[in-house]
Amino acid sequence: MTTNNNNEGRNMTESDFDILYEDNHLLGIVKPVNIPTQGDASGDPDLLSLLKEDIKERYQKPGNVYLGLVHRLDRPVGGAMIFAKTSKAASRLSESVRSRSFDKTYLAIVHGTPLKQQGRLTNTLLKNERTNTVSVVTKGTPGGKEAILDYEVIGTAAGDNLTLIRVTLLTGRPHQIRVQLSHIGCPLYGDQKYGQAFNKPGQQIALWSLYVGFPHPVSKEQIHITSLPPDEAPWSLWSRQTYKELARQL
């Protein structure tokens, strides 16, 4: 089953969120930008809590609502995201993540252009919990974790020295895409943390979850959800048709 969404004309009478897929086991939505996936030190409203309240209101459920977090998107990142509505679904989806049958594809706009049109990046990443930053370290560094992604250059906006890249994650490390692309000299547009020298304060990071695909935890049917990036700068440097075609290819 494939569910597409162009992020336009959502029905606010049903939910405050763009729902891409929903059944008794799963909830797929478009994560809004600049909302933390789960509660953090900021104390700001988080997506997991907001979705639980949304389900509670829509279905008039008494008591607590279960919603399992299967994967995460960084606070400034938006796009397709899936949640589990039962503990069984959460457990089986987590197993799909571990077995790498849980596919995640992103779109990123970066400064500059990678030397190769497509390739695989493999690095060891180490997270500093105190500063909430991640760095590339030598393989074998204590606490370091292997990070792997595949990328493909989709197009360039020469006058702006920006490049549109499709990224497929093979591992799910914190800040992985942002750190690995910055490491090859192509920091993300708007990324203040890993591309401060290239970006201006207040710019929105150009990283979007285009696609999530996985076997349904109960029926085993292959589920595909897609979400196109917003029709605004810098995404508007490329046509909506470009994004629709990229989504169709998945």
Side-chain angles (χ1 to χ4, degrees), residues 12-201:
M12 295 295 290
T13 62
E14 293 183 0
S15 174
D16 287 339
F17 296 94
D18 291 317
I19 296 177
L20 302 176
Y21 179 89
E22 186 173 19
D23 62 16
N24 291 334
H25 311 280
L26 303 171
L27 175 64
I29 59 105
V30 179
K31 178 191 176 294
V33 298
N34 300 326
I35 292 181
T37 299
Q38 61 185 137
D40 59 18
S42 71
D44 294 338
D46 65 278
L47 185 60
L48 192 61
S49 298
L50 292 171
L51 285 172
K52 286 180 180 180
E53 188 60 32
D54 181 68
I55 292 172
K56 187 180 180 71
E57 291 181 4
R58 283 193 291 127
Y59 295 104
Q60 299 181 343
K61 285 181 172 286
N64 295 327
V65 170
Y66 179 87
L67 197 63
L69 189 61
V70 179
H71 64 120
R72 293 170 175 78
L73 294 178
D74 290 349
R75 181 176 182 138
V77 180
M81 192 170 183
I82 198 77
F83 293 83
K85 293 172 71 175
T86 67
S87 57
K88 178 186 288 186
S91 176
R92 291 180 177 176
L93 285 179
S94 294
E95 178 55 36
S96 293
V97 172
R98 286 190 292 271
S99 65
R100 295 188 180 178
S101 58
F102 190 95
D103 299 323
K104 295 174 288 185
T105 300
Y106 296 77
L107 293 175
I109 296 177
V110 302
H111 294 276
T113 305
L115 293 177
K116 297 180 179 179
Q117 284 292 108
Q118 60 184 33
R120 172 167 293 185
L121 303 181
T122 302
N123 301 105
T124 301
L125 303 185
L126 181 66
K127 183 173 184 180
N128 184 322
E129 297 291 348
R130 183 179 60 82
T131 61
N132 191 32
T133 56
V134 177
S135 56
V136 175
V137 295
T138 304
K139 185 176 182 180
T141 298
K145 295 183 178 180
E146 186 179 55
I148 308 171
L149 64 77
D150 290 336
Y151 74 87
E152 178 185 1
V153 172
I154 302 301
T156 59
D160 298 276
N161 194 31
L162 296 175
T163 302
L164 177 65
I165 293 176
R166 177 168 55 194
V167 176
T168 302
L169 277 185
L170 301 180
T171 57
R173 308 304 183 197
H175 302 181
Q176 178 178 340
I177 296 173
R178 300 161 66 181
V179 175
Q180 289 191 276
L181 290 178
S182 178
H183 186 65
I184 64 168
C186 297
L188 268 68
Y189 175 97
D191 191 351
Q192 306 301 322
K193 190 167 294 220
Y194 303 104
Q196 192 173 22
F198 294 81
N199 297 305
K200 299 176 182 178

